[in-house]
Amino acid sequence: MRKVYGIIRNKKGSSFPLAVAVALALVMLLCCITEYMRLNIIAQGVRDAVQTAIISTVNDNYSDVYHGVREGYAAGYQPIGGSWEASVSYGDIYAHLDRALGLQRSGGYHVKYAGESVEFRLYNLSVNVRNAPLAPSDPAGTQRFIADATIRLEVPVSFAGKILPPMQMNLKVQARYMSVF
């Protein structure tokens, strides 16, 4: 420690390389922090868009939802003949995402371009709509009308060129239909 302190206190200019090294280390740290923040912002924006698409799908099921307002539940059924049959629509979530995020279809991916370079890709969308039972005996403890979605997000890392692999993560969202009235 005394040797480093002596180098810094030396008036002969020998601390110049140390000052350059510290400055470069700080610039490198700042680049890492900004790249981390960029990846988080993209992931949050995509997650919010998928959440909006799933909510839209749940709301699109509104016309086929049996409203058990007095019983306090709602389920996707419609009358056919003298009975009730399950009626659930999965909608077109990719079309909603393409419009909301400005994505283009490229192979099996839905890709967002920043100029000519790829900003991020979406693929492997999985949607599961769970219907509530019709006229349960205990509405408080039964399954609700819920839509779950999982999608794979891949974001190329622009820091350090091709050295780092792209960030890949599964985004999971859930929406539930609830009667307001």
Side-chain angles (χ1 to χ4, degrees):
M1 187 69 178
R2 236 170 220 254
K3 189 173 184 177
V4 172
Y5 183 71
I7 291 172
I8 292 173
R9 301 258 314 154
N10 193 341
K11 305 289 186 197
K12 296 181 182 177
S14 62
S15 65
F16 179 73
L18 181 62
V20 170
V22 168
L24 286 175
L26 290 175
V27 168
M28 193 71 119
L29 180 64
L30 180 64
C31 288
C32 290
I33 291 170
T34 56
E35 183 65 16
Y36 175 77
M37 290 175 63
R38 182 185 78 87
L39 294 174
N40 275 337
I41 289 169
I42 289 173
Q44 184 67 33
V46 170
R47 191 196 64 78
D48 290 346
V50 173
Q51 181 77 33
T52 302
I54 294 300
I55 290 171
S56 174
T57 298
V58 169
N59 287 338
D60 288 347
N61 280 295
Y62 175 79
S63 62
D64 290 334
V65 169
Y66 168 73
H67 301 282
V69 176
R70 286 185 59 201
E71 291 85 14
Y73 70 95
Y77 292 91
Q78 65 185 46
I80 297 186
S83 65
W84 292 86
E85 288 191 20
S87 174
V88 175
S89 169
Y90 285 81
D92 192 359
I93 295 171
Y94 270 133
H96 191 278
L97 289 174
D98 290 347
R99 282 190 308 273
L101 297 173
L103 303 176
Q104 298 175 5
R105 190 156 171 84
S106 176
Y109 301 106
H110 291 261
V111 182
K112 171 73 173 181
Y113 289 99
E116 291 188 18
S117 63
V118 174
E119 188 173 347
F120 63 86
R121 297 176 219 219
L122 296 174
Y123 58 98
N124 287 349
L125 175 66
S126 170
V127 179
N128 181 24
V129 178
R130 293 180 280 165
N131 202 0
L134 185 63
S137 59
D138 179 23
T142 61
Q143 168 70 38
R144 302 288 186 198
F145 188 83
I146 295 175
D148 294 312
T150 304
I151 194 164
R152 186 81 170 162
L153 170 66
E154 181 179 304
V155 183
V157 178
S158 63
F159 181 72
K162 299 283 185 188
I163 296 172
L164 299 174
M167 178 189 79
Q168 295 182 349
M169 64 187 312
N170 286 327
L171 299 173
K172 297 177 184 179
V173 296
Q174 185 179 72
R176 181 174 75 176
Y177 181 83
M178 294 174 43
S179 301
V180 178
F181 302 95

